[in-house]
Protein backbone atom coordinates (compact mmCIF):
# COMPACT_ATOMS: atom_id res chain seq x y z
CA UNK A 1 0.00 0.00 0.00
CA UNK A 2 2.71 2.49 1.01
CA UNK A 3 4.74 1.52 -2.06
CA UNK A 4 1.69 2.09 -4.29
CA UNK A 5 1.08 5.56 -2.85
CA UNK A 6 4.75 6.43 -3.35
CA UNK A 7 4.68 5.25 -6.98
CA UNK A 8 1.44 7.14 -7.69
CA UNK A 9 2.84 10.36 -6.21
CA UNK A 10 6.15 9.90 -8.04
CA UNK A 11 4.47 9.48 -11.42
CA UNK A 12 2.06 12.37 -10.78
CA UNK A 13 5.17 14.47 -10.11
CA UNK A 14 6.75 13.17 -13.33
CA UNK A 15 3.68 14.19 -15.34
CA UNK A 16 3.78 17.64 -13.73
CA UNK A 17 7.55 18.06 -14.26
CA UNK A 18 7.21 17.16 -17.93
CA UNK A 19 4.95 20.21 -18.19
CA UNK A 20 8.07 22.32 -17.61
CA UNK A 21 9.59 21.12 -20.88
CA UNK A 22 8.96 23.96 -23.35
CA UNK A 23 5.90 23.28 -25.49
CA UNK A 24 4.72 24.47 -28.85
CA UNK A 25 1.13 25.73 -28.97
CA UNK A 26 -0.75 24.99 -32.17
CA UNK A 27 -3.33 27.21 -33.84
CA UNK A 28 -6.00 25.11 -32.11
CA UNK A 29 -4.72 26.37 -28.75
CA UNK A 30 -3.60 22.87 -27.74
CA UNK A 31 0.09 22.67 -26.80
CA UNK A 32 2.40 19.89 -27.93
CA UNK A 33 4.02 19.00 -24.62
CA UNK A 34 5.96 16.18 -23.02
CA UNK A 35 3.23 15.53 -20.44
CA UNK A 36 1.56 12.80 -22.48
CA UNK A 37 4.84 10.87 -22.21
CA UNK A 38 4.40 10.98 -18.42
CA UNK A 39 0.85 9.69 -18.79
CA UNK A 40 2.05 6.85 -21.03
CA UNK A 41 4.82 5.97 -18.56
CA UNK A 42 2.43 6.06 -15.61
CA UNK A 43 0.40 3.36 -17.30
CA UNK A 44 3.19 1.26 -18.79
CA UNK A 45 5.29 1.26 -15.62
CA UNK A 46 2.66 1.31 -12.86
CA UNK A 47 -0.12 -0.65 -14.54
CA UNK A 48 -3.75 0.24 -15.14
CA UNK A 49 -5.05 1.31 -11.73
CA UNK A 50 -1.92 2.95 -10.32
CA UNK A 51 -1.28 4.74 -13.61
CA UNK A 52 -4.86 6.04 -13.75
CA UNK A 53 -4.60 7.19 -10.13
CA UNK A 54 -1.37 9.10 -10.89
CA UNK A 55 -3.09 10.86 -13.81
CA UNK A 56 -6.17 11.52 -11.65
CA UNK A 57 -4.00 13.10 -8.96
CA UNK A 58 -2.55 15.54 -11.50
CA UNK A 59 -6.00 16.40 -12.90
CA UNK A 60 -7.34 17.03 -9.38
CA UNK A 61 -4.34 19.22 -8.48
CA UNK A 62 -4.83 21.21 -11.70
CA UNK A 63 -8.53 21.67 -10.83
CA UNK A 64 -7.48 22.96 -7.42
CA UNK A 65 -5.45 25.64 -9.16
CA UNK A 66 -1.91 24.31 -9.22
CA UNK A 67 -0.13 25.45 -12.42
CA UNK A 68 0.98 21.95 -13.42
CA UNK A 69 0.10 21.99 -17.11
CA UNK A 70 2.37 23.01 -19.95
CA UNK A 71 2.91 26.75 -19.88
CA UNK A 72 2.14 26.95 -16.15
CA UNK A 73 -1.60 26.59 -16.60
CA UNK A 74 -3.96 25.35 -13.94
CA UNK A 75 -7.30 26.09 -12.31
CA UNK A 76 -10.87 25.47 -13.35
CA UNK A 77 -10.49 27.60 -16.48
CA UNK A 78 -8.54 24.85 -18.25
CA UNK A 79 -11.66 22.70 -18.07
CA UNK A 80 -13.38 25.19 -20.37
CA UNK A 81 -10.57 25.43 -22.93
CA UNK A 82 -9.63 23.41 -26.00
CA UNK A 83 -7.33 21.12 -23.98
CA UNK A 84 -10.08 19.82 -21.67
CA UNK A 85 -10.57 16.56 -23.56
CA UNK A 86 -6.88 15.77 -23.52
CA UNK A 87 -6.61 16.65 -19.83
CA UNK A 88 -9.48 14.44 -18.67
CA UNK A 89 -8.41 11.86 -21.25
CA UNK A 90 -5.16 11.33 -19.33
CA UNK A 91 -7.01 9.11 -16.86
CA UNK A 92 -8.41 6.52 -19.30
CA UNK A 93 -5.22 6.84 -21.39
CA UNK A 94 -3.00 5.81 -18.46
CA UNK A 95 -5.45 3.07 -17.51
CA UNK A 96 -5.51 1.52 -21.00
CA UNK A 97 -1.73 1.88 -21.44
CA UNK A 98 -1.29 -0.04 -18.19
CA UNK A 99 -3.97 -2.60 -18.95
CA UNK A 100 -2.46 -3.47 -22.32
CA UNK A 101 1.05 -3.67 -20.84
CA UNK A 102 -0.22 -5.96 -18.07
CA UNK A 103 -2.28 -8.19 -20.35
CA UNK A 104 0.50 -8.81 -22.89
CA UNK A 105 2.42 -10.95 -20.39
CA UNK A 106 3.76 -13.29 -23.05
CA UNK A 107 5.25 -10.41 -25.01
CA UNK A 108 8.67 -8.95 -24.17
CA UNK A 109 8.37 -5.74 -22.15
CA UNK A 110 9.33 -3.27 -24.90
CA UNK A 111 6.67 -4.26 -27.46
CA UNK A 112 4.04 -4.74 -24.73
CA UNK A 113 4.69 -1.29 -23.25
CA UNK A 114 4.97 0.38 -26.67
CA UNK A 115 1.65 -1.19 -27.70
CA UNK A 116 0.09 -0.03 -24.42
CA UNK A 117 1.41 3.49 -24.96
CA UNK A 118 0.06 3.62 -28.52
CA UNK A 119 -3.37 2.22 -27.63
CA UNK A 120 -3.79 4.17 -24.37
CA UNK A 121 -1.61 7.23 -24.83
CA UNK A 122 -2.61 7.92 -28.42
CA UNK A 123 -5.80 6.16 -29.50
CA UNK A 124 -7.71 6.45 -26.21
CA UNK A 125 -6.34 9.93 -25.44
CA UNK A 126 -7.30 11.34 -28.83
CA UNK A 127 -10.97 10.37 -28.49
CA UNK A 128 -11.82 12.80 -25.66
CA UNK A 129 -9.18 15.22 -26.95
CA UNK A 130 -10.82 15.53 -30.34
CA UNK A 131 -14.32 15.63 -28.82
CA UNK A 132 -13.22 18.42 -26.47
CA UNK A 133 -11.63 20.47 -29.25
CA UNK A 134 -14.72 20.06 -31.43
CA UNK A 135 -17.03 21.20 -28.62
CA UNK A 136 -14.94 24.14 -27.37
CA UNK A 137 -13.77 25.39 -30.77
CA UNK A 138 -17.12 24.84 -32.51
CA UNK A 139 -15.55 22.51 -35.08
CA UNK A 140 -16.93 19.41 -36.71
CA UNK A 141 -15.38 16.07 -35.69
CA UNK A 142 -13.46 15.82 -39.01
CA UNK A 143 -12.14 19.38 -38.53
CA UNK A 144 -11.08 18.68 -34.94
CA UNK A 145 -9.48 15.41 -36.04
CA UNK A 146 -7.50 17.30 -38.66
CA UNK A 147 -6.35 19.76 -35.99
CA UNK A 148 -4.98 16.79 -34.03
CA UNK A 149 -2.82 15.38 -36.81
CA UNK A 150 0.31 17.44 -35.94
CA UNK A 151 0.44 15.56 -32.61
CA UNK A 152 0.72 12.10 -34.15
CA UNK A 153 4.45 11.91 -35.07
CA UNK A 154 5.54 13.20 -31.66
CA UNK A 155 3.13 10.92 -29.85
CA UNK A 156 4.40 7.88 -31.76
CA UNK A 157 7.93 8.86 -30.72
CA UNK A 158 6.75 9.22 -27.10
CA UNK A 159 5.12 5.76 -27.25
CA UNK A 160 8.38 4.19 -28.44
CA UNK A 161 10.26 6.07 -25.72
CA UNK A 162 7.75 4.86 -23.10
CA UNK A 163 8.30 1.29 -24.28
CA UNK A 164 12.09 1.70 -24.10
CA UNK A 165 12.03 3.30 -20.64
CA UNK A 166 9.64 0.68 -19.27
CA UNK A 167 11.74 -2.18 -20.69
CA UNK A 168 14.96 -0.62 -19.38
CA UNK A 169 13.49 -0.22 -15.89
CA UNK A 170 12.17 -3.79 -15.90
CA UNK A 171 15.55 -5.12 -16.98
CA UNK A 172 17.63 -2.93 -14.62
CA UNK A 173 15.43 -3.39 -11.55
CA UNK A 174 13.34 -6.55 -11.82
CA UNK A 175 10.25 -6.16 -9.67
CA UNK A 176 10.32 -2.36 -9.83
CA UNK A 177 7.79 -2.18 -12.66
CA UNK A 178 4.39 -3.13 -11.21
CA UNK A 179 2.88 -3.58 -14.68
CA UNK A 180 5.42 -6.34 -15.40
CA UNK A 181 5.88 -8.42 -12.22
CA UNK A 182 9.19 -10.24 -12.05
CA UNK A 183 9.02 -13.95 -12.04
Amino acid sequence: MERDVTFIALFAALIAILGLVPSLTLISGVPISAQSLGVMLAGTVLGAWRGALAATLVVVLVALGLPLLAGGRGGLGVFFGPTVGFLVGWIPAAFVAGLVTERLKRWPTFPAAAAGAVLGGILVLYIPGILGMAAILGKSLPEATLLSTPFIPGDILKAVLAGLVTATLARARPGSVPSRPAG
Side-chain angles (χ1 to χ4, degrees):
M1 176 67 171
E2 183 177 321
R3 181 176 183 236
D4 289 343
V5 171
T6 301
F7 275 146
I8 291 164
L10 179 66
F11 275 81
L14 175 66
I15 295 168
I17 288 168
L18 287 172
L20 298 175
V21 174
S23 62
L24 170 68
T25 301
L26 302 178
I27 195 163
S28 64
V30 178
I32 295 177
S33 79
Q35 287 185 294
S36 59
L37 172 60
V39 172
M40 291 176 188
L41 284 167
T44 62
V45 172
L46 299 181
W49 288 105
R50 291 178 204 87
L53 287 171
T56 300
L57 179 57
V58 176
V59 171
V60 168
L61 293 173
V62 166
L64 292 174
L66 273 67
L68 302 179
L69 299 179
R73 296 172 305 118
L76 293 177
V78 299
F79 292 91
F80 299 96
T83 61
V84 63
F86 289 100
L87 178 59
V88 298
W90 284 358
I91 299 164
F95 181 86
V96 170
L99 186 65
V100 170
T101 304
E102 292 168 349
R103 295 293 166 96
L104 296 178
K105 291 178 175 134
R106 296 184 191 271
W107 289 26
T109 301
F110 169 70
V118 167
L119 291 173
I122 299 176
L123 183 63
V124 169
L125 181 60
Y126 278 44
I127 294 169
I130 289 168
L131 291 172
M133 280 198 313
I136 298 298
L137 299 176
K139 303 284 184 187
S140 69
L141 287 177
E143 289 172 322
T145 301
L146 188 60
L147 287 172
S148 298
T149 58
F151 297 104
I152 296 171
D155 284 341
I156 291 170
L157 181 62
K158 291 175 207 173
V160 170
L161 189 57
L164 288 170
V165 169
T166 304
T168 301
L169 280 172
R171 190 170 42 256
R173 304 256 327 167
S176 68
V177 178
S179 69
R180 305 294 285 189

